[in-house]
Amino acid sequence: MADVIIGQSNIGSVVKQCEMDDPDSDDEAEDDDDVFGVSSVVSLTHKKDNECVQQFKSFLIDKCAISSPESQEKLLSALNKHVGFIVNERFINIPPQMSVPLFKSLQNEIDSHCKAKNFNFDFFLLICKVFKLKPEQKKGKKKKGGKTQEEELYSNPEEEIITKNAWLTYDYDVSSERDTALAGSWDEDDDELSPWRRVVVLPSNALDDIVVSIHNTYAQENV
């Protein structure tokens, strides 16, 4: 999938550190691979013959069948339409304010290419990193000051806004594939959170409102 994303030179953005030009620096020594985030969209329909896309779609269907069998029919109906897989990845310490220009740029690029069949989407699909309290931890866990610990956190907070516009969602547990972890903002007395993935399918016409909501939520906040 990484090769597919890289091969799309006409859409997508990367987050890199911008350094001042140093006339004494050795250009050959600079590392051009220091990418801290990426935003893009891949047409699962236009790329349907690509092996990695076929594997990805089978993976989504299998996870849905296990974790949310009642949602499988809706997922299959969406995958039979024109679906764009939104890639929204960045290092965990990069603030959500960065999502404002990334999603605006992605929206503009999709709009500029929408007349082309490979970007005229019916649905978008996104996989969010979500961290949840374990069931035994949910019983009124109190932090210092009497506050209750949040039961789930998004690694990328703006994806909570996206999820609110979802046509379909289902979660699958990945705690067996990686260590239990903390995510987002936490206090020292917080319980550790288990990693999950949330598959979000939304109608393509919801993107404009989502971009506006992300802008209104994060554009004025201090980084």
Side-chain angles (χ1 to χ4, degrees):
M1 187 67 76
D3 289 339
V4 173
I5 295 170
I6 294 171
Q8 297 186 141
S9 59
N10 59 339
I11 194 164
S13 304
V14 295
V15 180
K16 302 184 72 173
Q17 183 174 357
C18 181
E19 298 182 355
M20 299 296 292
D21 291 336
D22 183 354
D24 297 325
S25 66
D26 184 356
D27 291 339
E28 295 183 359
E30 293 181 3
D31 187 0
D32 292 332
D33 296 327
D34 287 341
V35 175
F36 302 109
V38 60
S39 173
S40 190
V41 62
V42 174
S43 172
L44 300 183
T45 306
H46 183 68
K47 303 287 187 180
K48 63 182 180 180
D49 294 329
N50 190 295
E51 184 178 0
C52 76
V53 171
Q54 294 174 357
Q55 293 174 347
F56 179 61
K57 292 170 72 172
S58 295
F59 172 83
L60 294 171
I61 294 168
D62 290 345
K63 289 297 183 182
C64 185
I66 295 171
S67 63
S68 184
E70 68 278 6
S71 302
Q72 194 168 18
E73 185 175 347
K74 288 186 73 174
L75 176 64
L76 289 171
S77 68
L79 291 177
N80 284 330
K81 303 280 188 174
H82 193 179
V83 181
F85 171 46
I86 292 179
V87 179
N88 181 42
E89 297 286 345
R90 63 178 182 270
F91 285 175
I92 196 170
N93 60 332
I94 297 179
Q97 288 80 6
M98 184 60 67
S99 68
V100 176
L102 289 176
F103 270 98
K104 183 61 179 175
S105 176
L106 187 62
Q107 176 195 34
N108 290 338
E109 290 169 343
I110 291 173
D111 287 345
S112 67
H113 295 298
C114 68
K115 293 182 180 180
K117 291 183 178 180
N118 53 324
F119 288 106
N120 190 16
F121 300 109
D122 298 307
F123 291 96
F124 291 112
L125 184 145
L126 180 76
I127 299 182
C128 309
K129 294 186 180 72
V130 181
F131 296 83
K132 302 182 183 184
L133 280 176
K134 296 178 181 178
E136 63 271 18
Q137 297 171 329
K138 290 185 178 181
K139 297 180 180 179
K141 160 91 175 156
K142 296 289 184 180
K143 302 194 294 185
K144 293 176 182 178
K147 295 182 179 180
T148 301
Q149 182 177 349
E150 292 185 67
E151 293 187 0
E152 69 175 33
L153 293 170
Y154 285 77
S155 179
N156 293 336
E158 72 278 2
E159 292 176 351
E160 186 171 3
I161 295 173
I162 298 173
T163 302
K164 291 177 180 178
N165 292 267
W167 178 72
L168 167 68
T169 68
Y170 63 91
D171 298 354
Y172 59 93
D173 188 355
V174 294
S175 57
S176 62
E177 302 172 17
R178 53 171 293 176
D179 293 336
T180 304
L182 284 165
S185 300
W186 62 84
D187 295 327
E188 61 181 9
D189 59 334
D190 279 349
D191 281 325
E192 289 185 334
L193 303 174
S194 297
W196 289 68
R197 297 292 181 267
R198 177 163 295 159
V199 178
V200 179
V201 180
L202 57 143
S204 60
N205 59 12
L207 184 61
D208 289 350
D209 288 340
I210 288 172
V211 173
V212 170
S213 295
I214 290 174
H215 179 274
N216 291 341
T217 302
Y218 296 111
Q220 302 305 320
E221 292 185 5
N222 293 325
V223 177

